[in-house]
Amino acid sequence: QVQLVESGGGLVQAGGSLRLSCAASGRTFSNYVMGWFRQAPGKEREFVATTTRGGGSTFYANSVKGRFTISRDNAKNTVTLQMNSLKPEDTAVYYCAAARSYGSSWLRGPHEYDYWGQGTQVTVSS
């Protein structure tokens, strides 16, 4: 089992920045692929970003590429999402997730992740 707790959400004006953090406890953090997802009201949960177990490689949804940065610190059992140039359409509940398995392709589907945090609200005003 892995327990995930997100923090750092809030209200920000368009063009602003927020930094989300996810603290993990339980099994060895470095064994897991980590990802961030988001879900807006009335919409399905969508992929935002993911990083490999060592943190050396990252992959982003086209909608956030160049604005968001995912990083992890395996020594501190944390994964962060730095969000810059925020837009109103970034408004959503943001979730971090951990996946036991990994493969040759990026893990972008919610069904590919085994553990989830409770989510943190991000609201971007225009």
Side-chain angles (χ1 to χ4, degrees):
Q1 286 280 353
V2 174
Q3 292 79 43
L4 303 172
V5 179
E6 302 97 335
S7 61
L11 173 65
V12 64
Q13 288 188 332
S17 298
L18 280 176
R19 184 178 180 88
L20 305 183
S21 294
C22 175
S25 60
R27 298 296 184 114
T28 305
F29 181 66
S30 59
N31 285 347
Y32 295 87
V33 169
M34 297 300 297
W36 284 95
F37 289 77
R38 65 187 182 186
Q39 188 166 18
K43 295 188 177 182
E44 293 185 352
R45 192 166 298 189
E46 66 171 354
F47 167 78
V48 174
T50 185
T51 181
T52 50
R53 293 179 299 168
S57 296
T58 57
F59 184 80
Y60 299 91
N62 287 336
S63 58
V64 307
K65 195 176 299 182
R67 300 188 298 122
F68 291 11
T69 302
I70 185 173
S71 61
R72 68 189 294 167
D73 185 335
N74 285 345
K76 296 182 179 179
N77 289 0
T78 58
V79 59
T80 61
L81 186 68
Q82 177 67 42
M83 305 185 296
N84 299 327
S85 302
L86 283 161
K87 305 175 181 180
E89 51 263 43
D90 294 319
T91 295
V93 177
Y94 283 71
Y95 299 89
C96 73
R100 290 186 298 243
S101 62
Y102 60 96
S104 58
S105 59
W106 295 104
L107 303 183
R108 289 176 286 179
H111 66 282
E112 298 179 286
Y113 288 78
D114 303 289
Y115 304 103
W116 294 84
Q118 82 289 349
T120 185
Q121 176 71 47
V122 171
T123 303
V124 184
S125 63
S126 57

